[in-house]
Amino acid sequence: MRAPILMLAFMVLAGCAGPVTRQVPVDNAALQREIEKQTEIALQARADHFRRFYHVVFRTFDGASAMCPKTRQAIGIYPVNQYDFNQRFRKAAARLWQTGDRVQILFVARGSPADRAGVKPLDVILRIDDTAAPQGKKAVSRLRKLLMQRLDKSGIVRLVLERRNPQGVRQTITTVVRPTRICDYRFGVMTNDRVNAFANGVFVVVTSGMMRFVNNDDELALVVSHELAHNIMGHIQKMRRNAWLGTLLDLLAAGYGVNTQGAFGRLALLRFSKAFEAEADYVGMYIMARAGWRIERAPNFWRRMAASHPGSNRTGFTRTHPITSRRFLALEKTVAEIRAKQASGQPLQPERKKPVSNQRDDDDEDE
Ligand SMILES: [Zn+2]
C-alpha cells in the first residue's frame, strides 16, 4: 500500500508547482502610480459615503432637535485639514482636495444654514468673525471650539472664506451664517462590509455595508432615526442585560476625518431588547416625519432587510434588529397614525403608554 501513498504525495506536490508562463514585468514607477490611484479611489469612496451620511444625519438631527434631551448649535460644515487623515490617506487627500495646514470645508450639509448662506465644499476658512482661523495640528478641534464660542456669544457668525474658481483663481468671500440647533450626538460611518448600525447613547454609527444597502436617503434616514431614537429614549441607561460586543468603533473611518477624538476605543456596542427595538421603531418614525423624510418607505425597508439578511446572520443588523411580522404591521400602523396627526394639524409627539398597573412588555414575538 506504500506506492499509492507516495504517488498521491507526488501528485499533490506537483499540483503545488508554480505557474509555467512568464510573469508580466511591471516597472516600479508604474506600480507606485497604481498604488496611489487605488488609495485615492478608496478615500473618495469613503468620502462619498460620509457626505451622504452627513447630509442625512444633519437634516434628521435638526428636525428631531425638539425631541432630544441635549442639543447644540450647528451650521452644517465638516471642516478638515491634512492632520485629520492618517498616513495612508494624507497624500491622497492632498491630491484630491489640496488639503494642507489650513482648515477647509470638506462637506456642507444640504439645506443647512451654511448651505443656505452659500458656503461651498473645499472653501478654506480664513477668519471666523475677526479671529484668524487656526492652522496646523489640532487646528480643526480649535476651530470647532472657536466657532461654538462665537455662536454662543452672538448667535451668528461671519465666515471669511477662500474659494478657488474652476480656473484656479482664488477669491475671498464673506458670508454670515445663523445656526440651527441639532441633537447633540456624535456620528460616523464605520468601514465594515456588514449591513449594520449602532447607537450607544453617545454615537450613531452605520457601516459602509449599510451605506451600500440603503436604496435612497429616506431609507438611510430611517436607520439613523431608529438609532437616534435609542439614544433619545435612553435605552443604554435602561438596559439591564447589556451585552458588550467589543470595541469595533476605532475602525470607524479611521484617518479619514470622522472625528472620534479617541473615544471609540473604550466604547462598546450594545444590543437592545425587543421592547426597546419596538420603541425605537415607533419613536424613529416620528423623528423621520419631523425631519420631513418619507415615512411610507420604512416598512418595506425592513421587509427588504429581512429578505436579504435572514436570521442566519448572527452579527448583522437583523440579529440585533430582528424583523418580525408584528414589527412590520406596527410600522404600517405608525405611518397611518402620523399621517392622521399631520392631516389634522396635531403635534408630532409619540403617544405615551397609558398608566396601567401590572403592565408587562409583550416579549413573545414571532421570530
Ligand atoms: Zn435598534
Side-chain angles (χ1 to χ4, degrees), residues 226-227 230 272 277 280 320-321:
H226 176 99
E227 298 303 330
H230 278 310
F272 296 109
E277 287 312 319
T320 47
H321 298 84

Side-chain angles (χ1 to χ4, degrees), residues 172-231:
T172 303
I173 288 151
T174 302
T175 183
V176 172
V177 189
R178 195 176 292 277
T180 184
R181 292 204 81 87
I182 66 170
C183 296
D184 191 12
Y185 296 105
R186 293 184 183 179
F187 49 85
V189 179
M190 177 165 66
T191 303
N192 184 299
D193 282 336
R194 289 217 168 96
V195 177
N196 221 335
F198 316 101
N200 64 2
V202 180
F203 293 97
V204 169
V205 174
V206 303
T207 61
S208 43
M210 178 64 84
M211 292 302 302
R212 284 189 287 270
F213 180 77
V214 293
N215 273 338
N216 48 60
D217 285 353
D218 294 291
E219 290 191 351
L220 181 55
L222 161 69
V223 175
V224 168
S225 300
H226 176 99
E227 298 303 330
L228 179 59
H230 278 310
N231 284 350

Side-chain angles (χ1 to χ4, degrees), residues 197-199 226-227 230 235 270-273 276-278 280-281 302 317 320-322 327:
F198 316 101
H226 176 99
E227 298 303 330
H230 278 310
H235 288 167
L270 286 178
R271 293 180 176 180
F272 296 109
S273 75
F276 286 158
E277 287 312 319
D281 282 350
W302 288 110
F317 201 59
T320 47
H321 298 84
R327 277 182 77 187

Side-chain angles (χ1 to χ4, degrees), residues 108 112-121 123 161 163 173 175-177:
V108 179
S112 66
D115 187 24
R116 292 199 302 273
V119 178
K120 302 280 181 221
D123 283 352
L161 307 164
R163 184 175 300 163
I173 288 151
T175 183
V176 172
V177 189

Side-chain angles (χ1 to χ4, degrees), residues 27-262:
D27 79 85
N28 278 338
L31 186 62
Q32 196 53 40
R33 281 197 301 276
E34 181 56 24
I35 289 169
E36 286 175 4
K37 188 76 219 161
Q38 291 191 16
T39 308
E40 274 175 37
I41 290 169
L43 181 59
Q44 186 70 62
R46 288 174 189 217
D48 290 346
H49 276 167
F50 191 77
R51 180 186 301 107
R52 185 175 172 204
F53 178 71
Y54 183 54
H55 160 61
V56 168
V57 163
F58 196 91
R59 179 167 151 190
T60 307
F61 281 25
D62 189 9
S65 61
M67 294 172 75
C68 283
K70 239 179 92 190
T71 60
R72 63 179 169 88
Q73 306 207 72
I75 62 171
I77 59 169
Y78 196 83
V80 297
N81 74 1
Q82 62 166 332
Y83 297 105
D84 292 296
F85 301 88
N86 67 15
Q87 288 299 338
R88 183 185 164 209
F89 286 123
R90 197 167 289 173
K91 282 184 183 161
R95 287 193 299 272
L96 285 171
W97 306 307
Q98 292 82 48
T99 45
D101 274 356
R102 301 193 299 173
V103 176
Q104 64 186 125
I105 296 165
L106 195 52
F107 310 118
V108 179
R110 277 206 304 278
S112 66
D115 187 24
R116 292 199 302 273
V119 178
K120 302 280 181 221
L122 303 190
D123 283 352
V124 174
I125 303 176
L126 300 178
R127 310 181 76 79
I128 292 179
D129 290 333
D130 293 324
T131 308
Q135 297 189 18
K137 281 186 181 170
K138 299 201 163 81
V140 169
S141 56
R142 279 160 55 212
L143 181 131
R144 283 180 187 278
K145 216 173 273 174
L146 178 64
L147 188 60
M148 282 301 150
Q149 282 167 1
R150 295 290 162 162
L151 290 175
D152 285 339
K153 198 169 161 221
S154 51
I156 198 164
V157 72
R158 185 166 51 90
L159 299 178
V160 182
L161 307 164
E162 181 185 286
R163 184 175 300 163
R164 275 187 209 219
N165 71 12
Q167 289 74 41
V169 180
R170 294 164 194 222
Q171 48 187 153
T172 303
I173 288 151
T174 302
T175 183
V176 172
V177 189
R178 195 176 292 277
T180 184
R181 292 204 81 87
I182 66 170
C183 296
D184 191 12
Y185 296 105
R186 293 184 183 179
F187 49 85
V189 179
M190 177 165 66
T191 303
N192 184 299
D193 282 336
R194 289 217 168 96
V195 177
N196 221 335
F198 316 101
N200 64 2
V202 180
F203 293 97
V204 169
V205 174
V206 303
T207 61
S208 43
M210 178 64 84
M211 292 302 302
R212 284 189 287 270
F213 180 77
V214 293
N215 273 338
N216 48 60
D217 285 353
D218 294 291
E219 290 191 351
L220 181 55
L222 161 69
V223 175
V224 168
S225 300
H226 176 99
E227 298 303 330
L228 179 59
H230 278 310
N231 284 350
I232 289 176
M233 302 312 291
H235 288 167
I236 301 287
Q237 294 87 334
K238 290 177 184 174
M239 282 296 286
R240 291 188 203 125
R241 301 173 301 125
N242 49 355
W244 297 95
L245 291 185
T247 58
L248 294 181
L249 288 187
D250 45 2
L251 295 172
L252 191 143
Y256 123 80
V258 176
N259 194 353
T260 68
Q261 296 175 346

